[in-house]
Amino acid sequence: MLTKEQVNFYKENGFIKLENIFTDEELKEISEEYDELFNRHRSDKMRAEWQGNEMKKAAKQQPVVVLSLHNLQFHSAVFTRLITNKRLLDAMEDLMDSRNILLHHTKAHLKPPENGAPYLMHQDYHYFPFKKHSMVAAFINMDDSCPENGGLAVYPGSHKLGPLEDVGVTEKGESFHYVDPKKYPLSGATPIHAKKGDVIVFSYLLLHGSYLNKSERVRRMFLLQLMTAEDDPVQDVHKSPAQGMVLRGRNVRRDASMASRFVQ
């Protein structure tokens, strides 16, 4: 599906923006279901506030928030269709260089207007390290995004540096990972301008973050994290209920198990 030039760009830069993955009809269905889901579950349980002094500095010391949901495919079949979308998986197969693609988890972050939380530069590696670094993210823009409304920012080529020192914080049983903001400031990153429906694919070793939403527009995103069936986690962390679901190909390394001890 992707050209040789696109694959080479991804390998060199650690990210790529893909257009026209979803049809207008698919995007309309996803957007409407996204809003219904957030409206149905809207409560303080969805509020995520990033911790640490450096995070507060990035937020200009004002109260900021992001609304968050995980594992959306357990809430609606629309998101099951999204993560099994043929055009999306065709592209992922080219970028991941594997015919065997497994789901790690899905999540959605909604940045409200005027106080949508930023996030400092970080690598997803520190949340779920894998031995062969096959893990990638497919970041689906549910709205037009830019720095003003809290869009994504990256350090192109930083995936080649390998795992970097993590200086994040752990509070209330949660870990917030980010690298030294003096060495890799959010202000020094390359902003990504994206249209609604654009998919940003990036390596989990790529330094990335997002800006404070200062605009009057919401910024919605849906993200799925994927790995190859040939890879293994370094640590048994960040387990999701659908982890290991085969989205493309086979997982021939998975052991078979008896369906039920009550089968006769």
Side-chain angles (χ1 to χ4, degrees):
M1 177 182 177
L2 299 185
T3 66
K4 182 179 180 180
E5 288 73 23
Q6 286 177 305
V7 173
N8 287 340
F9 180 93
Y10 174 78
K11 289 180 178 179
E12 182 67 23
N13 293 278
F15 78 98
I16 190 170
K17 180 169 69 174
L18 303 176
E19 303 172 350
N20 302 316
I21 294 292
F22 303 104
T23 66
D24 291 342
E25 292 77 14
E26 289 169 338
L27 195 57
K28 181 176 184 293
E29 179 186 51
I30 294 167
S31 183
E32 290 177 351
E33 195 71 3
Y34 189 108
D35 288 342
E36 192 281 332
L37 182 57
F38 269 84
N39 289 332
R40 173 157 45 99
H41 289 279
R42 191 175 292 268
S43 70
D44 286 341
K45 292 181 180 179
M46 294 171 59
R47 292 171 59 92
E49 298 183 16
W50 315 139
Q51 303 297 318
N53 291 331
E54 295 298 333
M55 288 288 195
K56 292 177 181 177
K57 290 179 184 178
K60 312 298 184 184
Q61 301 294 335
Q62 61 179 303
V64 292
V65 69
V66 61
L67 303 182
S68 181
L69 278 172
H70 281 236
N71 304 308
L72 280 73
Q73 70 277 7
F74 285 101
H75 295 276
S76 169
V78 168
F79 298 104
T80 303
R81 289 194 289 274
L82 189 163
I83 65 177
T84 55
N85 181 280
K86 182 180 184 303
R87 289 180 300 278
L88 177 62
L89 291 177
D90 284 347
M92 300 310 299
E93 184 176 322
D94 289 343
L95 296 174
M96 297 174 73
D97 194 25
S98 174
R99 298 178 62 87
N100 306 308
I101 299 175
L102 309 183
L103 176 69
H104 190 271
H105 71 279
T106 69
K107 65 183 176 184
H109 286 163
L110 185 155
K111 288 191 181 186
E114 298 179 349
N115 70 337
Y119 204 101
L120 295 173
M121 305 308 298
H122 65 284
Q123 296 174 312
D124 289 340
Y125 165 85
H126 295 288
Y127 286 100
F128 27 79
F130 270 68
K131 293 178 181 178
K132 297 181 180 178
H133 302 317
S134 70
M135 182 79 71
V136 303
F139 183 111
I140 301 169
N141 292 271
M142 301 302 301
D143 300 289
D144 292 355
S145 66
C146 62
E148 288 70 30
N149 75 328
L152 195 65
V154 301
Y155 272 77
S158 57
H159 64 302
K160 297 179 180 179
L161 300 173
L164 298 172
E165 181 184 4
D166 176 48
V167 297
V169 296
T170 300
E171 295 187 15
K172 301 177 182 177
E174 293 185 271
S175 296
F176 302 90
H177 298 285
Y178 50 88
V179 296
D180 185 349
K182 294 184 176 63
K183 189 172 183 179
Y184 300 105
L186 183 56
S187 60
T190 299
I192 295 180
H193 294 256
K195 294 292 186 181
K196 182 176 180 177
D198 287 351
V199 181
I200 313 300
V201 182
F202 56 89
S203 163
Y204 83 154
L205 287 172
L206 184 75
L207 282 172
H208 64 284
S210 63
Y211 301 99
L212 173 69
N213 186 358
K214 301 180 292 184
S215 76
E216 297 179 354
R217 298 185 292 121
V218 69
R219 194 224 69 177
R220 301 173 300 158
M221 61 78 89
F222 175 90
L223 183 142
L224 63 155
Q225 210 92 33
L226 307 168
M227 68 275 196
T228 67
E230 296 80 17
D231 207 352
D232 294 300
V234 175
Q235 302 174 34
D236 189 22
V237 295
H238 202 289
K239 299 281 284 187
S240 79
Q243 186 169 324
M245 177 182 177
V246 181
L247 302 182
R248 173 64 61 93
R250 298 185 177 94
N251 187 2
V252 298
R253 302 168 74 221
R254 185 179 179 88
D255 292 334
S257 59
M258 187 168 63
S260 171
R261 65 190 182 96
F262 298 108
V263 173
Q264 301 195 9

